[in-house]
């Protein structure tokens, strides 16, 4: 997974919902309400940054947070859902 440069699938859109004050993943036929820092992670999935680079950015933003373990696990889970490529 180290060389993987995740990006959202073409049919998936990350959108901010002003009413709910949260981020959503808008997919064909469904909407996923993102919790916690999931949107912070997914906004970095631009196809240019590797997973390691994403982890480094988030580790700098959130010192002491367990990003080295949780972020790769989260990205893998999101990829298994078919929302990342």
């Amino acid at each position: 997974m180290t060389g993987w440069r995740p990006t959202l699938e073409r049919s998936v859109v990350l959108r901010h919902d002003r009413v709910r004050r949260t981020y959503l993943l808008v997919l064909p036929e469904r909407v996923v309400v993102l919790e916690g820092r999931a949107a912070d992670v997914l906004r970095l999935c631009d196809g240019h940054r590797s997973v390691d680079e994403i982890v480094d950015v988030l580790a700098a933003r959130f010192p002491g947070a367990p990003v080295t373990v949780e972020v790769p696990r989260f990205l893998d889970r999101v990829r298994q859902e078919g929302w990342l490529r």
Side-chain angles (χ1 to χ4, degrees):
M1 185 180 321
T2 303
W4 178 39
R5 296 179 183 280
T7 187
L8 291 175
E9 280 292 343
R10 288 180 181 92
S11 61
V12 178
V13 177
L14 179 64
R15 180 173 294 156
H16 186 259
D17 182 335
R18 287 182 280 157
V19 174
R20 293 183 185 143
R21 295 183 179 168
T22 191
Y23 279 87
L24 309 171
L25 275 184
V26 181
L27 304 112
E29 302 181 22
R30 85 189 246 201
V31 173
V32 176
V33 178
L34 298 175
E35 296 181 358
R37 296 290 181 185
D40 292 320
V41 177
L42 293 176
R43 279 197 306 257
L44 295 172
C45 295
D46 57 9
H48 299 287
R49 293 179 182 96
S50 69
V51 173
D52 289 341
E53 290 168 326
I54 292 169
V55 167
D56 290 345
V57 169
L58 293 169
R61 277 189 204 164
F62 306 106
V67 296
T68 57
V69 173
E70 290 184 4
V71 169
R73 192 179 305 154
F74 169 73
L75 291 174
D76 187 49
R77 200 168 55 238
V78 173
R79 179 166 61 173
Q80 288 177 13
E81 288 289 338
W83 305 338
L84 285 175
R85 55 185 163 99

